Amino acid sequence: MTAAGVESTTPPPPPPLTESARYHQLLATAKKVVPCDAMALLRLDAGILTPVAVDGLSVETLGRRFAVEAHPRLARLLQSHSVLRFAPDCELPDPYDGLVTGQPDLLAVHDCIGAPLRSRGRLWGLLTLDALAPHALADVGQGQLEALARLVESGVEAIEAVLAMEARALDELEAVRAWQTVRTAPRELLGTSSALQRLRAEIDTVAASSLTVLLTGETGVGKDLVAQRLHARSVLRDRPLVQINCAALPESLADSELFGHKKGAFTGAVQDRVGKFELADGGTLFLDEVGELPLSTQAKLLRVLQSGELQRPGSDRPRKVDVRVIAATNRDLPTAVAQGRFRADLYHRLAVYPLVVPPLRERGKDVLTLAGSFLEENQHRLGARNLRLSPAAKTTLLAHPWPGNVRELEHVLSRAALRAVTGQGRTARWVAIEPRHLALDAQPQVSPAPSLSRPAPQAAGPTADARPGRMTLREATEAFQRQWITESLARHGSHVRRAADEAGMDRSNFHRLARRLGVLQGREGA
């Protein structure tokens, strides 16, 4: 609004280029100077090289984090004082073998050149140039390569200067701290899809506020990573982020876990206990699976959110807490409210700023970016050289619907990596993962859970209630078991043993129950 109260019609300025877009522009310019099959720009941080821009390499490369000590070629390049060429028959494993795009099959890199990059006197990272044909870059002179390295170094310094100016405009100190917090997170929100970009924009919009956020989405989509990013981008980033899984709380101990208790408050309370709200005082509390809280605890949670005061069980003294709450659930809370299983007033108190985390099937090629990250982790865990997805495996991953989302993808790739390494050995120049290693068509089918108000059709028996729309106690119990088992299997990527452990049952008994209820069909799960 203008000073006169009239809304301005001046169009807003175009948004600035993202950091990723700037580095990709720089790399595209460099590739015009020295054409090659693949070129990459990698930034060094704490012994890890992170691709910030690639051209001619598979999109999964952006999801990889190259530990310098695990990649001798990259280590040699960082130790070099100038441009370094590797002989076509060099025995050192090439980290890009099988990652060059536009090829019908996984192919080895035969011509490799790299240069260390410095920015403002410090080692910043690497520029790498690769070709599939031996001696393809032989005609590129050393002087031309040195000039290219200096050009890219100048571009990196310019990009860093622009980023620094933008950070100062938003409060330089706070922006740097937020960046450092996100960079040290164990996992990241990887991907470039429009769905993920919209989510990131929403996160950045609400993070700086004190509003309560409700994260919704299917199981396994990464709601915990969204909560971490919200905290890392907030003014509370230097304060604690305390997480609690509400689904794992026994009803008898939920109050104690959240609000603490006084010694003697109940049998077994042998000393005072500080609850999660007090531990998070001044920071952020992440209530995961909040839809699983019992109604009695929901009422007490509502009181804390409304007044900022809690009372430990066994104590008469109220305690003030200042906590920003982020809640998450894969439940349909409006339906739960309508069914009387979740308080309407608590739902509206939590859903001040709702965020929907998109399922993996709506994120396109983010599947391959995430796959690259998971394969890099498994590569180091298994002691293999290079784990690579074959073109057919990429097609299979992109075609799969991923009902278990990112968690399912992680487990599928962990199993596939183990199968591939076992079959091809750890000393191979690379280990190709094929569709047969993914075994996506061999996973047990999980049928959707029926609504508690409308049970799945069953054979008539002596306990059946002939009245339409009504259930006997046995039918209601089986419907609940069916829904619980279905959701547990989804949480654990269809892994029967883990779901049985969560249920506190023997695996064989759990499997028989699931088969009897019609949840598991076909072959036995793992």
Side-chain angles (χ1 to χ4, degrees), residues 212 214 244 246 249 254-255 258-259 276-277 285-311 321 323-328 333 342-343 345-347 349-350:
T212 301
L214 177 62
I244 184 168
C246 301
L249 297 178
D255 290 359
L258 288 171
F259 313 119
K276 294 296 191 290
F277 264 95
L285 178 62
F286 177 38
L287 300 174
D288 198 10
E289 304 292 354
V290 71
E292 311 304 317
L293 283 175
L295 284 168
S296 58
T297 304
Q298 291 178 29
K300 298 171 184 176
L301 174 59
L302 175 65
R303 184 169 64 247
V304 176
L305 295 178
Q306 289 176 331
S307 65
E309 288 187 350
L310 61 83
Q311 192 168 320
V321 289
V323 175
R324 198 247 181 112
V325 172
I326 301 171
L333 288 190
F342 200 85
R343 293 180 63 106
D345 44 8
L346 178 58
Y347 169 69
R349 178 67 64 170
L350 292 174

Side-chain angles (χ1 to χ4, degrees), residues 37-68:
D37 290 327
M39 190 177 288
L41 197 57
L42 302 100
R43 177 168 48 205
L44 178 66
D45 185 14
I48 302 294
L49 282 166
T50 299
V52 295
V54 297
D55 191 329
L57 294 174
S58 170
V59 67
E60 69 170 280
T61 311
L62 292 172
R64 293 180 177 266
R65 300 296 178 262
F66 298 101
V68 175

Side-chain angles (χ1 to χ4, degrees), residues 332-345:
D332 182 354
L333 288 190
T335 299
V337 169
Q339 295 174 347
R341 294 185 288 109
F342 200 85
R343 293 180 63 106
D345 44 8

Side-chain angles (χ1 to χ4, degrees), residues 310-389:
L310 61 83
Q311 192 168 320
R312 291 184 183 178
S315 172
D316 295 329
R317 183 169 69 88
R319 297 170 182 268
K320 294 289 290 184
V321 289
D322 181 15
V323 175
R324 198 247 181 112
V325 172
I326 301 171
T329 183
N330 57 17
R331 295 280 191 181
D332 182 354
L333 288 190
T335 299
V337 169
Q339 295 174 347
R341 294 185 288 109
F342 200 85
R343 293 180 63 106
D345 44 8
L346 178 58
Y347 169 69
H348 292 296
R349 178 67 64 170
L350 292 174
V352 177
Y353 199 106
L355 280 180
V356 179
V357 184
L360 187 55
R361 62 181 173 274
E362 295 179 3
R363 292 175 54 183
K365 290 188 176 181
D366 284 358
V367 172
L368 300 183
T369 302
L370 289 163
S373 175
F374 294 142
L375 288 180
E376 192 70 19
E377 292 177 7
N378 280 279
Q379 178 174 306
H380 300 313
R381 179 174 58 83
L382 296 173
R385 280 193 171 185
N386 291 306
L387 289 174
R388 297 292 183 258
L389 292 169

